[in-house]
């Protein structure tokens, strides 16, 4: 018996060494942790239960039958983050470059299936050279098995991808179907085809970093939600994010009590809005002063920055914040910001997270580049997402809410539960200047008359009371009491139930 126990320990030790000390050293030399070290940082100490440590590949081509490493390039199992269950896989670049074989894929699928059965999220730590080249189509089949499970798990359990090394070719598509993608700066990249192929096909010369590095995907493509300085920071931030999320679509997010009083007033908000309506201010200040302890986990902070979004807590419960940012493009809605916010609203809706929307929007961005790019279809994504959303929706119009953008931004008409406006809010079809130029075209050569018309229009419409008179705004509130009013509304909405009509699925304009 003692022998057998020893043998087991030897086998385990061999598996833990992955591709061997030399490759582990090479991984460290690149500033990267190994697959197992990453799990140690991500999970609560001593909670990791590993599965399939002894799985090997079944490939017999190219001499692979003599080259087997237990675990086959991915460490899988489950553990805890702040005491809450999570399933994980962590690709081991020291074993065949973390390349995905049929067995490697089966290991990932096994924990995904189990996560679905018990209702717990899956976090994937990706560090892989893609399909295991020696295995050919068996490896492609393995990928597709993972993709299928990603699609089935979508909206049932949260799925999170951390890209911590290469993610190339079809390998990008599993992360792409998960809810959040994070990257590590300088050591991770994602692209469908690498620089060599790009050069051959399009004659463009581009580095891997430029093509698919963290900066590219967090600022240009919007594929990734955030980028971190190194592995440790990335994994610790993942633990923070996890704290906001429910385990599955039938549970609520964990409550985290805070010492921040729900009726806290903030007088400084009364002067947040500049006197000049064309002057910008930082909407993030309002968010930070409104949420519990000023703690806001912003997502996509460097992409489509005319829209701010992320998680926070109010009265201890997780909320999704969506807000126009007047500092950028005057906070208007354009293609990128509409898509960014639509996907976030859908995540919140799928996982029972109330959505708080702060509105200061002059309208949709005009111009040929927007129209040719399909702003109609992309703007409709956000409209659709808000309209379909059944979680508690609380909206605060801080200043402008003009035109179609008024409708889109969680208005009363899209089943907003509680719609507040600040006293200086302007809710109208369009700004006064544009409006009078159209309806009083005959006065266009008479600046004095036009100015009078503009003043008249402003007086009549640039306020929240016309909307208030129709019940489109539930109350006009003091800016200083924004937190208190939202917290109360959340309590009132705690047991909200609304069902959409039965259907196989809707047809959101993709
Ligand atoms: C098998 C692989 C591999 C792969 C890397 N390795 N990628 N083995 N299949 N796809 C092995 C290497 O042979 C090497 O083994 C070890 O991993 C480390 O690789 P290096 O090249 O030494 O590392 P590095 O210089 O850091 O370069 C990493 C890399 C490069 C950029 C990922 O290895 C690379 O370009 N690999 C091929 C990428 C690729 O074309 N994949 C297929 C994409 S198509 P030793 O024994 O020397 O340590 C695809 C289709 C999926 O994925 C479709 C799904 C729908």
């Amino acid at each position: 018996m003692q022998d057998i126990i020893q043998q087991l320990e030897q086998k385990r030790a061999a598996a833990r060494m992955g591709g061997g000390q030399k490759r582990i050293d090479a991984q460290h030399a690149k500033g990267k942790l190994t697959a197992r070290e990453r799990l140690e940082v991500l999970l609560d100490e001593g909670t990791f239960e590993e599965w399939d440590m002894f799985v090997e590949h079944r490939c017999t081509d190219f001499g692979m039958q003599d080259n087997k490493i237990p675990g086959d390039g991915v460490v899988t199992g489950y553990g805890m983050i702040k005491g809450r269950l999570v399933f994980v896989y962590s690709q081991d670049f020291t074993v065949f470059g973390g390349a995905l074989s049929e067995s490697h894929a089966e290991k990932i699928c096994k924990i995904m299936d189990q996560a679905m059965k018990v209702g717990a999220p899956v976090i994937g730590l990706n560090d892989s050279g893609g399909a295991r080249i020696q295995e050919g189509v068996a490896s492609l089949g393995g990928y597709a098995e993972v993709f299928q499970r990603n699609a089935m798990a979508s909206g049932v359990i949260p799925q999170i991808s951390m890209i911590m090394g290469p993610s190339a070719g079809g390998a990008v598509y599993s992360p792409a179907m998960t809810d959040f993608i994070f990257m590590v700066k300088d050591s991770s990249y994602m692209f469908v085809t690498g620089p060599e192929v790009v050069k051959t096909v399009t004659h463009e010369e581009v580095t891997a970093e430029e093509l698919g590095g963290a900066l590219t995907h967090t600022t240009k493509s919007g594929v990734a939600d955030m980028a971190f300085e190194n592995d440790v920071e990335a994994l610790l931030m993942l633990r923070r994010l996890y704290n906001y999320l429910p385990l599955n679509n039938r549970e609520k997010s964990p409550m985290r009590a805070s010492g921040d009083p729900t009726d806290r007033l903030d007088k400084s908000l009364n002067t947040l809005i500049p006197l000049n309506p064309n002057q910008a201010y930082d909407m993030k200040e309002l968010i930070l002063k409104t949420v519990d302890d000023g703690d806001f986990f912003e997502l996509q902070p460097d992409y489509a920055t005319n829209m701010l979004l992320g998680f926070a807590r109010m009265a201890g419960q997780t909320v999704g914040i969506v807000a126009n940012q007047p500092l950028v493009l005057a906070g208007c809605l354009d293609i990128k910001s509409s898509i960014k916010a639509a996907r976030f609203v859908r995540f919140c809706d799928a996982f029972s997270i109330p959505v708080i929307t702060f509105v200061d929007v002059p309208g949709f961005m005009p111009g040929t580049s927007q129209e040719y790019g399909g702003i109609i279809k992309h703007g409709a994504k956000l409209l659709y997402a808000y309209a379909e959303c059944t979680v508690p929706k609380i909206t605060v119009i801080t200043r402008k809410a003009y035109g179609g953008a008024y409708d889109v931004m969680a208005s009363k008409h899209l089943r907003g539960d509680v719609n507040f406006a600040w006293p200086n809010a302007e809710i109208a079809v369009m700004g006064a200047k544009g409006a009078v130029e159209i309806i009083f075209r005959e006065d266009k050569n008479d600046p004095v008359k036009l100015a009078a018309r503009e003043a008249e229009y402003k007086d009549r419409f640039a306020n929240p009371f016309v909307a208030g008179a129709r019940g489109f705004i539930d109350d006009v509130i003091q800016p200083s009491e924004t937190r208190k009013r939202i917290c109360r509304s959340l309590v009132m909405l705690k047991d909200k139930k609304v069902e959409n009509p039965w259907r196989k699925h809707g047809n959101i304009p993709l």
Side-chain angles (χ1 to χ4, degrees):
M1 185 64 185
Q2 203 53 33
D3 281 359
I4 296 174
I5 290 173
Q6 259 176 14
Q7 275 172 27
L8 172 64
E9 277 318 307
Q10 280 164 7
K11 271 183 182 291
R12 282 195 192 285
R16 285 195 194 103
M17 284 306 286
Q21 194 58 49
K22 216 171 105 204
R23 292 193 182 88
I24 292 174
D25 293 344
Q27 180 87 346
H28 286 157
K30 288 182 200 156
K32 293 159 70 179
L33 298 177
T34 65
R36 283 170 199 283
E37 288 165 347
R38 286 169 177 164
L39 290 176
E40 273 171 33
V41 180
L42 178 66
L43 301 173
D44 295 348
E45 200 181 338
T47 61
F48 182 48
E49 277 283 322
E50 185 169 349
W51 279 4
D52 288 339
M53 197 183 210
F54 307 115
V55 161
E56 294 174 343
H57 68 73
R58 299 185 288 272
C59 178
T60 52
D61 292 308
F62 307 104
M64 286 295 277
Q65 65 277 15
D66 304 319
N67 191 7
K68 294 192 176 188
I69 296 175
D72 204 34
V74 62
V75 182
T76 58
Y78 63 91
M80 298 285 172
I81 294 180
K82 299 191 184 174
R84 298 165 70 234
L85 182 63
V86 61
F87 284 79
V88 286
Y89 72 85
S90 180
Q91 291 179 312
D92 185 350
F93 190 79
T94 70
V95 179
F96 311 118
L100 183 135
S101 69
E102 192 176 27
S103 308
H104 178 130
E106 284 166 359
K107 286 182 64 173
I108 296 175
C109 290
K110 193 195 251 190
I111 58 122
M112 291 180 82
D113 291 342
Q114 197 63 33
M116 285 289 276
K117 282 184 211 158
V118 302
V122 174
I123 295 180
L125 307 182
N126 295 263
D127 189 357
S128 164
R132 179 91 49 92
I133 294 168
Q134 296 90 334
E135 290 208 4
V137 72
S139 157
L140 298 186
Y143 265 124
E145 294 286 342
V146 177
F147 301 158
Q148 176 65 37
R149 283 166 176 78
N150 286 133
M152 292 300 102
S154 181
V156 181
I157 50 172
Q159 303 180 83
I160 306 171
S161 301
M162 179 67 80
I163 314 296
M164 311 187 83
S167 175
V172 297
Y173 282 110
S174 173
M177 281 201 284
T178 62
D179 298 302
F180 303 105
I181 301 181
F182 300 104
M183 296 181 78
V184 182
K185 288 182 193 166
D186 303 322
S187 60
S188 70
Y189 46 89
M190 301 176 78
F191 36 65
V192 173
T193 52
E196 293 304 319
V197 178
V198 170
K199 193 171 167 194
T200 313
V201 178
T202 70
H203 308 295
E204 283 172 283
E205 298 237 11
V206 65
T207 63
E209 187 60 32
E210 286 163 353
L211 187 62
L215 196 66
T216 297
H217 287 310
T218 52
T219 60
K220 289 195 169 82
S221 73
V223 164
D225 290 276
M226 264 170 127
F228 303 107
E229 294 302 325
N230 54 51
D231 283 15
V232 173
E233 190 201 15
L235 296 162
L236 293 178
M237 287 298 275
L238 207 50
R239 284 175 61 85
R240 264 194 71 201
L241 172 74
Y242 198 76
N243 200 29
Y244 288 106
L245 308 180
L247 294 180
N248 60 60
N249 63 342
R250 293 182 189 278
E251 288 194 16
K252 295 227 164 164
S253 300
M255 289 290 284
R256 301 279 186 237
S258 131
D260 196 354
T262 54
D263 59 356
R264 171 173 56 78
L265 303 181
D266 194 320
K267 288 263 188 309
S268 70
L269 290 177
N270 289 340
T271 51
L272 178 67
I273 306 291
L275 290 175
N276 176 354
N278 296 323
Q279 202 177 319
Y281 62 94
D282 189 357
M283 186 66 99
K284 207 187 282 188
E285 189 179 331
L286 167 60
I287 298 171
L288 296 177
K289 287 179 170 169
T290 302
V291 301
D292 288 359
D293 305 315
D295 194 2
F296 176 47
F297 193 101
E298 188 178 354
L299 291 163
Q300 302 196 45
D302 302 315
Y303 180 78
T305 48
N306 43 333
M307 183 71 83
L308 288 166
L309 51 80
F311 295 113
R313 282 201 155 80
M314 293 196 70
Q317 69 167 298
T318 299
V319 293
I321 306 269
V322 178
N324 309 114
Q325 170 58 291
L327 282 183
V328 183
L329 299 172
C332 74
L333 285 179
D334 60 358
I335 294 170
K336 288 180 174 179
S337 57
S338 299
I339 296 173
K340 170 176 167 178
R343 186 155 162 79
F344 182 70
V345 168
R346 281 168 72 82
F347 178 85
C348 292
D349 189 39
F351 291 103
S352 313
I353 297 172
V355 177
I356 316 264
T357 307
F358 294 112
V359 183
D360 187 348
V361 63
F364 278 99
M365 175 91 151
T368 49
S369 86
Q370 289 291 309
E371 295 292 352
Y372 296 171
I375 181 66
I376 296 173
K377 190 193 292 201
H378 301 300
K381 290 184 165 96
L382 183 55
L383 179 55
Y384 191 108
Y386 267 125
E388 188 183 39
C389 177
T390 59
V391 294
K393 288 187 275 196
I394 301 168
T395 306
V396 181
I397 300 174
T398 60
R399 188 167 61 174
K400 297 172 192 166
Y402 280 123
Y406 155 74
D407 279 339
V408 170
M409 295 299 294
S411 63
K412 199 70 181 166
H413 325 281
L414 302 184
R415 301 188 294 184
D417 292 294
V418 181
N419 293 66
F420 292 130
W422 285 4
N424 53 283
E426 305 165 25
I427 306 170
V429 172
M430 61 201 303
K433 189 165 181 298
V436 298
E437 278 170 7
I438 294 171
I439 54 181
F440 301 111
R441 194 166 288 158
E442 70 278 8
D443 298 333
K444 76 172 188 292
N445 296 325
D446 187 341
V448 178
K449 219 169 175 184
L450 217 53
R453 298 281 200 199
E454 198 179 317
E456 187 190 349
Y457 185 94
K458 256 196 197 141
D459 236 30
R460 172 80 183 91
F461 290 117
N463 64 65
F465 299 103
V466 181
R470 291 184 177 272
F472 298 167
I473 293 295
D474 298 299
D475 199 7
V476 179
I477 63 170
Q478 297 293 353
S480 58
E481 61 177 16
T482 303
R483 170 176 168 81
K484 176 174 131 185
R485 303 297 294 268
I486 295 175
C487 286
R488 277 190 187 170
S489 305
L490 283 168
V491 172
M492 179 273 286
L493 290 164
K494 195 163 69 66
D495 296 318
K496 176 190 173 187
K497 278 188 189 60
V498 171
E499 293 213 348
N500 289 331
W502 186 91
R503 54 187 158 181
K504 188 169 177 195
H505 57 71
N507 192 13
I508 188 166
L510 290 175

